[in-house]
Coordinates of all heavy atoms in Angstrom, one line a residue:
M276 N -48.6 18.1 34.6 CA -48.6 18.7 33.2 C -47.5 19.8 33.2 O -47.4 20.6 34.1 CB -50.0 19.4 33.0 CG -50.1 20.2 31.7 SD -50.0 19.1 30.2 CE -51.7 18.4 30.4
S277 N -46.6 19.7 32.2 CA -45.7 20.7 32.0 C -46.0 21.4 30.6 O -46.8 21.0 29.9 CB -44.3 20.1 32.0 OG -44.2 19.1 31.0
Y278 N -45.3 22.5 30.5 CA -45.5 23.4 29.3 C -44.2 23.8 28.6 O -43.2 23.8 29.3 CB -46.2 24.7 29.7 CG -47.6 24.4 30.3 CD1 -47.7 24.2 31.7 CD2 -48.7 24.4 29.6 CE1 -48.9 24.0 32.3 CE2 -50.0 24.1 30.1 CZ -50.1 23.9 31.4 OH -51.3 23.7 32.0
R279 N -44.3 24.1 27.3 CA -43.2 24.5 26.5 C -43.6 25.8 25.8 O -44.7 25.9 25.3 CB -42.7 23.5 25.5 CG -42.1 22.2 26.2 CD -41.6 21.3 25.2 NE -42.8 20.9 24.3 CZ -42.6 19.9 23.4 NH1 -41.5 19.3 23.2 NH2 -43.7 19.6 22.6
Y280 N -42.6 26.7 25.7 CA -42.8 27.9 24.9 C -42.2 27.6 23.5 O -41.1 27.1 23.5 CB -42.2 29.1 25.5 CG -42.1 30.3 24.5 CD1 -43.2 30.9 24.0 CD2 -40.9 30.7 24.1 CE1 -43.2 31.9 23.1 CE2 -40.8 31.7 23.1 CZ -41.9 32.3 22.7 OH -41.8 33.4 21.7
R281 N -42.9 27.9 22.4 CA -42.4 27.6 21.1 C -42.4 28.9 20.3 O -43.5 29.6 20.3 CB -43.2 26.5 20.4 CG -42.7 26.1 19.1 CD -43.4 24.9 18.6 NE -42.8 24.5 17.3 CZ -42.9 25.2 16.2 NH1 -43.7 26.3 16.2 NH2 -42.3 24.9 15.1
C282 N -41.3 29.2 19.6 CA -41.3 30.3 18.8 C -41.1 29.8 17.3 O -40.1 29.2 16.9 CB -40.1 31.3 19.1 SG -39.9 32.7 17.9
G283 N -42.2 30.0 16.5 CA -42.2 29.5 15.1 C -41.2 30.3 14.3 O -40.7 29.7 13.3
T284 N -41.0 31.5 14.6 CA -40.1 32.3 13.8 C -38.6 31.8 13.9 O -37.9 31.7 12.9 CB -40.1 33.8 14.3 OG1 -41.5 34.3 14.2 CG2 -39.3 34.7 13.4
C285 N -38.3 31.5 15.1 CA -36.9 31.0 15.3 C -36.8 29.5 15.2 O -35.8 28.9 15.2 CB -36.4 31.4 16.7 SG -36.3 33.1 17.0
R286 N -38.0 28.8 15.0 CA -38.0 27.4 15.0 C -37.3 26.8 16.3 O -36.4 26.0 16.1 CB -37.5 26.8 13.7 CG -38.2 27.3 12.5 CD -37.6 26.7 11.2 NE -37.7 25.3 11.1 CZ -38.7 24.6 10.8 NH1 -39.8 25.1 10.4 NH2 -38.7 23.3 10.7
A287 N -37.7 27.3 17.4 CA -37.1 27.0 18.7 C -38.1 26.6 19.7 O -39.2 27.3 19.7 CB -36.2 28.1 19.1
T288 N -37.8 25.8 20.6 CA -38.8 25.4 21.7 C -38.0 25.4 23.0 O -36.8 24.9 23.1 CB -39.3 24.0 21.4 OG1 -40.0 24.0 20.1 CG2 -40.4 23.6 22.5
S289 N -38.7 25.9 24.0 CA -38.0 26.0 25.4 C -37.9 24.6 26.0 O -38.6 23.7 25.6 CB -38.8 26.9 26.3 OG -39.9 26.4 26.7
E290 N -37.1 24.4 27.0 CA -37.2 23.3 27.9 C -38.6 23.2 28.5 O -39.2 24.2 28.7 CB -36.1 23.4 29.0 CG -34.7 23.3 28.5 CD -34.4 21.9 28.0 OE1 -34.8 20.9 28.7 OE2 -33.7 21.7 27.0
P291 N -39.1 22.0 28.8 CA -40.3 21.9 29.5 C -40.3 22.6 30.9 O -39.2 22.4 31.6 CB -40.6 20.5 29.7 CG -39.4 19.7 29.2 CD -38.5 20.7 28.5
V292 N -41.3 23.4 31.3 CA -41.4 24.0 32.6 C -42.7 23.5 33.3 O -43.6 23.0 32.6 CB -41.3 25.5 32.5 CG1 -39.9 26.0 32.0 CG2 -42.4 26.0 31.6
A293 N -42.7 23.7 34.6 CA -43.8 23.1 35.4 C -45.1 23.8 35.2 O -46.2 23.1 35.3 CB -43.4 23.1 36.9
T294 N -45.1 25.1 35.0 CA -46.4 25.8 34.9 C -46.5 26.7 33.7 O -45.5 27.0 33.1 CB -46.6 26.7 36.2 OG1 -45.5 27.7 36.1 CG2 -46.4 25.9 37.5
R295 N -47.8 27.0 33.4 CA -48.0 27.9 32.3 C -47.4 29.3 32.5 O -46.9 29.9 31.6 CB -49.5 28.0 32.0 CG -49.9 28.8 30.8 CD -51.4 28.7 30.6 NE -51.9 27.4 30.1 CZ -52.0 27.1 28.8 NH1 -51.6 28.0 27.9 NH2 -52.4 26.0 28.4
R296 N -47.4 29.7 33.8 CA -46.8 30.9 34.2 C -45.3 31.0 33.9 O -44.7 31.9 33.4 CB -47.0 31.2 35.7 CG -46.3 32.4 36.2 CD -46.6 32.6 37.6 NE -47.5 33.8 37.8 CZ -47.9 34.2 38.9 NH1 -47.4 33.7 40.1 NH2 -48.7 35.2 39.0
A297 N -44.6 29.8 34.2 CA -43.2 29.7 33.9 C -42.9 29.8 32.4 O -41.9 30.3 31.9 CB -42.6 28.5 34.5
A298 N -43.9 29.2 31.6 CA -43.7 29.2 30.2 C -43.9 30.6 29.6 O -43.2 31.0 28.7 CB -44.8 28.3 29.5
R299 N -44.8 31.4 30.3 CA -44.9 32.8 29.9 C -43.6 33.6 30.2 O -43.3 34.5 29.5 CB -46.1 33.4 30.6 CG -47.4 33.1 29.8 CD -48.5 34.1 30.2 NE -49.0 33.9 31.6 CZ -49.9 33.1 31.9 NH1 -50.6 32.4 31.0 NH2 -50.2 33.0 33.2
A300 N -43.0 33.2 31.3 CA -41.7 33.9 31.6 C -40.7 33.6 30.5 O -39.9 34.5 30.1 CB -41.2 33.4 33.0
E301 N -40.6 32.3 30.1 CA -39.7 32.0 29.0 C -40.1 32.8 27.7 O -39.2 33.2 27.0 CB -39.9 30.5 28.6 CG -39.5 29.5 29.7 CD -38.0 29.3 29.7 OE1 -37.3 29.6 28.7 OE2 -37.4 28.8 30.7
Q302 N -41.4 33.0 27.5 CA -41.8 33.8 26.3 C -41.3 35.2 26.4 O -40.8 35.7 25.4 CB -43.4 33.7 26.4 CG -44.0 34.5 25.2 CD -45.5 34.5 25.3 OE1 -46.1 34.6 26.5 NE2 -46.2 34.2 24.3
R303 N -41.5 35.8 27.6 CA -41.1 37.2 27.8 C -39.6 37.3 27.6 O -39.1 38.2 26.9 CB -41.4 37.7 29.2 CG -42.9 38.1 29.3 CD -43.2 38.9 30.5 NE -42.9 38.2 31.7 CZ -43.8 37.4 32.4 NH1 -45.0 37.3 31.9 NH2 -43.4 36.7 33.4
W304 N -38.8 36.3 28.1 CA -37.4 36.4 28.0 C -37.0 36.2 26.6 O -36.0 36.9 26.1 CB -36.9 35.2 28.9 CG -35.4 35.3 29.2 CD1 -34.8 36.1 30.1 CD2 -34.3 34.6 28.5 NE1 -33.4 35.9 30.0 CE2 -33.1 35.0 29.0 CE3 -34.3 33.7 27.4 CZ2 -31.9 34.6 28.6 CZ3 -33.1 33.3 26.9 CH2 -31.9 33.7 27.5
H305 N -37.6 35.3 25.9 CA -37.2 35.0 24.5 C -37.6 36.3 23.6 O -36.7 36.7 22.8 CB -38.0 33.8 23.9 CG -37.7 33.5 22.5 ND1 -36.6 32.8 22.1 CD2 -38.3 33.9 21.3 CE1 -36.6 32.8 20.8 NE2 -37.6 33.4 20.3
R306 N -38.7 36.9 23.9 CA -39.1 38.1 23.1 C -38.0 39.2 23.3 O -37.6 39.8 22.3 CB -40.5 38.6 23.5 CG -41.6 37.8 23.0 CD -42.9 38.4 23.6 NE -44.1 37.7 23.1 CZ -45.3 38.0 23.6 NH1 -45.5 39.0 24.5 NH2 -46.4 37.4 23.1
A307 N -37.6 39.4 24.6 CA -36.7 40.5 24.9 C -35.3 40.2 24.3 O -34.7 41.1 23.7 CB -36.6 40.6 26.4
R308 N -34.9 39.0 24.4 CA -33.5 38.6 23.9 C -33.4 38.5 22.4 O -32.5 39.0 21.9 CB -33.1 37.3 24.6 CG -31.7 36.9 24.3 CD -31.4 35.6 24.9 NE -30.4 34.9 24.2 CZ -29.2 34.5 24.7 NH1 -29.0 34.8 26.0 NH2 -28.3 34.0 24.0
E309 N -34.3 37.8 21.8 CA -34.2 37.4 20.4 C -34.9 38.4 19.4 O -34.6 38.5 18.3 CB -34.7 36.0 20.1 CG -33.9 34.9 20.9 CD -32.5 34.8 20.6 OE1 -32.2 35.2 19.4 OE2 -31.7 34.4 21.4
H310 N -36.0 39.1 20.0 CA -36.8 39.9 19.1 C -36.9 41.3 19.5 O -37.9 42.0 19.2 CB -38.2 39.2 19.0 CG -38.2 37.9 18.5 ND1 -38.0 37.5 17.1 CD2 -38.2 36.7 19.1 CE1 -38.0 36.2 17.0 NE2 -38.1 35.6 18.2
A311 N -36.0 41.8 20.3 CA -35.9 43.1 20.9 C -37.3 43.6 21.5 O -37.7 44.7 21.3 CB -35.5 44.1 19.7
G312 N -37.9 42.6 22.1 CA -39.2 43.0 22.8 C -40.4 42.9 21.9 O -41.6 43.0 22.4
L313 N -40.2 42.6 20.6 CA -41.4 42.5 19.7 C -42.0 41.1 19.8 O -41.4 40.2 20.3 CB -40.9 42.8 18.3 CG -40.3 44.1 18.0 CD1 -39.9 44.3 16.6 CD2 -41.4 45.2 18.3
I314 N -43.2 41.0 19.3 CA -43.9 39.7 19.4 C -43.7 38.9 18.1 O -44.1 39.4 17.0 CB -45.4 39.9 19.6 CG1 -45.6 40.7 20.9 CG2 -46.1 38.6 19.6 CD1 -47.1 41.1 21.2
P315 N -43.0 37.8 18.1 CA -42.8 37.1 16.9 C -44.0 36.4 16.4 O -44.9 36.1 17.2 CB -41.7 36.0 17.3 CG -41.9 35.9 18.8 CD -42.4 37.2 19.3
D316 N -44.1 36.2 15.0 CA -45.2 35.5 14.5 C -45.2 34.0 14.9 O -44.1 33.5 15.2 CB -45.2 35.6 13.0 CG -45.4 37.0 12.4 OD1 -46.0 37.8 13.2 OD2 -44.9 37.2 11.3
D317 N -46.3 33.4 15.0 CA -46.4 31.9 15.2 C -45.7 31.5 16.4 O -44.8 30.6 16.4 CB -45.8 31.2 14.0 CG -46.2 29.7 14.0 OD1 -47.2 29.4 14.7 OD2 -45.4 29.0 13.4
E318 N -46.0 32.1 17.6 CA -45.4 31.6 18.8 C -46.6 31.0 19.6 O -47.7 31.3 19.4 CB -44.7 32.7 19.6 CG -45.7 33.8 20.1 CD -45.1 34.7 21.1 OE1 -43.9 34.7 21.4 OE2 -45.9 35.6 21.6
S319 N -46.3 30.0 20.5 CA -47.3 29.4 21.3 C -46.7 28.8 22.6 O -45.6 28.6 22.7 CB -48.0 28.3 20.5 OG -47.0 27.3 20.1
I320 N -47.7 28.6 23.5 CA -47.4 27.9 24.8 C -48.2 26.6 24.7 O -49.4 26.6 24.6 CB -47.7 28.7 26.0 CG1 -46.7 29.8 26.1 CG2 -47.6 27.8 27.2 CD1 -47.0 30.8 27.2
E321 N -47.5 25.5 24.7 CA -48.1 24.2 24.5 C -47.9 23.3 25.7 O -46.9 23.2 26.3 CB -47.5 23.5 23.2 CG -47.6 24.3 22.0 CD -46.7 23.8 20.9 OE1 -45.8 22.9 21.2 OE2 -46.8 24.3 19.8
P322 N -49.0 22.5 26.0 CA -48.8 21.5 27.0 C -47.8 20.4 26.5 O -47.8 20.1 25.3 CB -50.2 20.8 27.1 CG -51.1 21.6 26.3 CD -50.3 22.5 25.4
D323 N -47.0 19.9 27.4 CA -46.0 19.0 27.0 C -46.3 17.7 27.7 O -45.8 17.4 28.9 CB -44.6 19.5 27.4 CG -43.5 18.6 27.0 OD1 -43.6 17.9 26.0 OD2 -42.5 18.5 27.8
D324 N -47.0 16.8 27.0 CA -47.3 15.5 27.7 C -46.1 14.6 27.8 O -46.0 13.7 28.6 CB -48.4 14.8 26.8 CG -49.7 15.6 26.9 OD1 -49.9 16.3 28.0 OD2 -50.4 15.6 25.9
E325 N -45.2 14.8 26.9 CA -44.0 13.9 26.8 C -43.2 13.8 28.0 O -42.7 12.8 28.4 CB -43.1 14.4 25.6 CG -42.5 13.3 24.8 CD -41.8 13.9 23.6 OE1 -42.4 14.2 22.6 OE2 -40.6 14.1 23.7
H326 N -43.0 15.0 28.7 CA -42.2 15.0 29.8 C -43.0 15.1 31.2 O -42.4 15.4 32.2 CB -41.3 16.3 29.8 CG -40.3 16.2 28.6 ND1 -40.7 16.7 27.4 CD2 -39.1 15.6 28.5 CE1 -39.6 16.5 26.5 NE2 -38.7 15.8 27.2
T327 N -44.2 14.8 31.1 CA -45.0 14.7 32.3 C -45.1 13.3 32.9 O -45.4 12.4 32.2 CB -46.5 15.3 32.0 OG1 -46.4 16.6 31.4 CG2 -47.3 15.3 33.2
V328 N -44.8 13.2 34.1 CA -45.1 12.0 34.8 C -46.5 12.0 35.3 O -46.8 12.5 36.4 CB -44.1 11.8 36.0 CG1 -44.4 10.5 36.7 CG2 -42.7 11.8 35.4
G329 N -47.4 11.5 34.5 CA -48.8 11.5 34.9 C -49.2 10.3 35.7 O -48.3 9.6 36.3
S330 N -50.5 10.0 35.8 CA -50.9 8.9 36.6 C -50.4 7.6 36.0 O -50.2 6.6 36.7 CB -52.4 8.9 36.7 OG -53.0 8.9 35.4
G331 N -50.2 7.5 34.7 CA -49.8 6.3 34.1 C -48.3 5.9 34.6 O -48.1 4.8 35.0
G332 N -47.5 6.9 34.6 CA -46.1 6.7 35.1 C -46.1 6.3 36.6 O -45.3 5.4 37.0
L333 N -47.0 7.0 37.4 CA -47.1 6.7 38.8 C -47.5 5.3 39.0 O -47.0 4.5 39.8 CB -48.0 7.7 39.5 CG -48.2 7.6 41.0 CD1 -46.8 7.9 41.7 CD2 -49.2 8.6 41.5
L334 N -48.6 4.9 38.3 CA -49.1 3.5 38.4 C -48.0 2.5 38.1 O -47.9 1.4 38.8 CB -50.3 3.3 37.5 CG -51.6 3.8 38.1 CD1 -52.8 3.7 37.0 CD2 -52.0 3.1 39.3
L335 N -47.3 2.7 37.0 CA -46.2 1.8 36.6 C -45.2 1.7 37.7 O -44.7 0.6 38.0 CB -45.6 2.4 35.3 CG -44.5 1.4 34.7 CD1 -45.2 0.1 34.3 CD2 -43.8 2.2 33.5
A336 N -44.8 2.8 38.3 CA -43.8 2.8 39.4 C -44.4 2.0 40.6 O -43.6 1.2 41.2 CB -43.5 4.3 39.9
I337 N -45.7 2.2 40.9 CA -46.3 1.4 42.1 C -46.2 -0.1 41.7 O -45.9 -1.0 42.5 CB -47.7 1.8 42.3 CG1 -47.6 3.3 43.0 CG2 -48.4 0.9 43.3 CD1 -49.0 4.0 43.1
L338 N -46.6 -0.4 40.5 CA -46.6 -1.9 40.0 C -45.2 -2.5 40.1 O -45.1 -3.6 40.6 CB -47.2 -1.9 38.6 CG -47.3 -3.3 38.0 CD1 -48.3 -4.1 38.8 CD2 -47.7 -3.3 36.5
V339 N -44.2 -1.8 39.6 CA -42.8 -2.3 39.7 C -42.4 -2.5 41.1 O -41.8 -3.5 41.5 CB -41.9 -1.3 38.9 CG1 -40.5 -1.7 39.2 CG2 -42.2 -1.4 37.4
G340 N -42.8 -1.5 42.0 CA -42.5 -1.6 43.4 C -43.1 -2.9 44.0 O -42.4 -3.6 44.8
C341 N -44.4 -3.1 43.7 CA -45.0 -4.3 44.3 C -44.3 -5.6 43.8 O -44.2 -6.5 44.5 CB -46.5 -4.3 43.8 SG -47.5 -3.1 44.7
L342 N -44.0 -5.6 42.5 CA -43.3 -6.8 41.9 C -42.0 -7.1 42.6 O -41.7 -8.2 43.0 CB -43.1 -6.7 40.4 CG -44.4 -6.7 39.6 CD1 -44.1 -6.4 38.1 CD2 -45.0 -8.1 39.7
I343 N -41.3 -6.0 43.0 CA -40.0 -6.2 43.6 C -40.2 -6.7 45.0 O -39.5 -7.6 45.5 CB -39.2 -4.8 43.7 CG1 -38.8 -4.5 42.3 CG2 -38.1 -4.8 44.7 CD1 -38.2 -3.0 42.1
V344 N -41.2 -6.2 45.7 CA -41.5 -6.6 47.1 C -41.9 -8.0 47.1 O -41.5 -8.8 47.9 CB -42.6 -5.7 47.7 CG1 -43.1 -6.3 49.0 CG2 -42.1 -4.3 48.0
E345 N -42.7 -8.4 46.1 CA -43.2 -9.8 46.0 C -42.0 -10.8 45.7 O -41.9 -11.8 46.3 CB -44.2 -9.9 44.9 CG -44.9 -11.3 44.9 CD -45.9 -11.5 43.7 OE1 -46.7 -10.5 43.6 OE2 -45.8 -12.5 43.0
A346 N -41.1 -10.3 44.8 CA -39.9 -11.1 44.5 C -39.1 -11.3 45.7 O -38.6 -12.4 46.0 CB -39.2 -10.5 43.4
L347 N -38.9 -10.3 46.5 CA -38.1 -10.3 47.7 C -38.7 -11.3 48.7 O -38.0 -12.0 49.4 CB -37.8 -8.9 48.3 CG -36.9 -8.0 47.6 CD1 -36.9 -6.6 48.2 CD2 -35.5 -8.6 47.6
Y348 N -40.1 -11.2 48.8 CA -40.8 -12.0 49.8 C -40.6 -13.5 49.4 O -40.4 -14.4 50.3 CB -42.2 -11.7 49.8 CG -43.1 -12.5 50.7 CD1 -43.0 -12.2 52.1 CD2 -43.9 -13.5 50.3 CE1 -43.7 -13.0 53.0 CE2 -44.6 -14.3 51.2 CZ -44.6 -14.0 52.5 OH -45.3 -14.7 53.4
R349 N -40.6 -13.8 48.1 CA -40.5 -15.2 47.6 C -39.1 -15.7 47.9 O -38.9 -16.9 48.3 CB -40.8 -15.3 46.2 CG -42.2 -15.2 45.9 CD -42.5 -15.5 44.4 NE -43.9 -15.3 44.1 CZ -44.5 -15.5 42.9 NH1 -43.8 -15.9 41.9 NH2 -45.8 -15.3 42.8
I350 N -38.1 -14.8 47.8 CA -36.7 -15.2 48.0 C -36.4 -15.5 49.5 O -35.8 -16.5 49.9 CB -35.7 -14.2 47.4 CG1 -35.8 -14.1 45.9 CG2 -34.3 -14.4 47.9 CD1 -35.1 -12.9 45.3
T351 N -36.9 -14.5 50.3 CA -36.6 -14.6 51.8 C -37.7 -15.3 52.6 O -37.5 -15.5 53.7 CB -36.4 -13.2 52.3 OG1 -37.6 -12.4 52.1 CG2 -35.2 -12.5 51.6
G352 N -38.9 -15.5 52.0 CA -40.0 -16.0 52.7 C -39.8 -17.5 53.2 O -38.7 -18.1 52.9
P353 N -40.9 -18.1 53.8 CA -40.8 -19.4 54.3 C -40.6 -20.5 53.3 O -41.1 -20.4 52.2 CB -42.1 -19.6 55.1 CG -43.0 -18.5 54.6 CD -42.1 -17.4 54.1
Ligands
LIG572 ZN1 -38.0 33.7 18.4

């Protein structure tokens, strides 16, 4: 699971980061830099499913790996 910090005031979203703690660091940095340390309205830290390699992606990678091994076996096999 990765996370993104989103500032609704600036209509800006951070790059996805690995942890919620890292997203909070993005939040602090953004507040300090863009809002002089003030808390902007409508900001949030959101889970980012789009950039997460979850179990679905891992299963797909294993499946593709098996298919490649099987194809190689058929080509080089008896
Ligand atoms: Zn902002």
Side-chain angles (χ1 to χ4, degrees):
M276 176 69 73
S277 58
Y278 296 89
R279 290 183 301 186
Y280 166 68
R281 187 172 179 287
C282 178
T284 302
C285 297
R286 299 180 62 84
T288 305
S289 74
E290 290 289 318
V292 291
T294 62
R295 188 174 283 273
R296 172 180 256 189
R299 278 199 292 269
E301 294 278 342
Q302 179 183 44
R303 281 193 297 273
W304 193 83
H305 179 83
R306 283 177 178 177
R308 183 186 155 119
E309 301 295 333
H310 301 283
L313 299 177
I314 300 171
D316 294 339
D317 192 26
E318 65 170 6
S319 59
I320 291 174
E321 302 166 349
D323 180 36
D324 296 328
E325 217 173 279
H326 295 91
T327 301
V328 179
S330 56
L333 184 63
L334 278 176
L335 185 64
I337 291 170
L338 181 65
V339 169
C341 287
L342 289 174
I343 290 171
V344 168
E345 186 181 316
L347 286 172
Y348 181 77
R349 283 187 186 182
I350 292 169
T351 61

